[in-house]
Amino acid sequence: MNISSRCEYACRAVLELARNDHNESPMTAVHIATLRDIPEKYLVHILLQLKRAGIVKSVRGAQGGYLLARTADSITLLDIVHAI
């Protein structure tokens, strides 16, 4: 089975958010894109899809960004694939 680049980028982004989950401070799309080598404009659209699926949530404001909407151990690869 082939996984699209969009799916791979979504998995990378969720993985980075899971690594940051203990910190409880949101990560910006720019920061995630830089750490995981994902095109920033592409990542913003992917994060919106993940948000609609209830996998991530966004925090507005100067200190805003993205966090996991649920615990990392409750998110499966299949959840991410279905969201994308």
Side-chain angles (χ1 to χ4, degrees):
M1 179 172 113
N2 290 331
I3 294 179
S4 68
S5 60
R6 190 174 192 88
C7 252
E8 182 183 343
Y9 291 156
C11 291
R12 287 187 202 177
V14 171
L15 180 65
E16 192 57 44
L17 289 170
R19 289 183 68 219
N20 186 60
D21 201 32
H22 68 281
N23 198 0
E24 294 187 19
S25 62
M27 293 184 76
T28 64
V30 174
H31 190 63
I32 296 168
T34 303
L35 290 173
R36 290 293 168 171
D37 195 30
I38 304 169
E40 182 186 340
K41 288 188 177 192
Y42 205 40
L43 179 60
V44 172
H45 296 289
I46 291 169
L47 288 169
L48 284 174
Q49 285 183 287
L50 293 171
K51 182 180 173 187
R52 283 187 209 116
I55 296 172
V56 302
K57 62 183 176 182
S58 62
V59 178
R60 297 176 67 149
Q63 301 298 319
Y66 294 90
L67 296 165
L68 291 179
R70 27 188 236 236
T71 60
D73 59 349
S74 70
I75 300 170
T76 66
L77 182 59
L78 187 60
D79 293 333
I80 299 168
V81 171
H82 280 301
I84 300 302

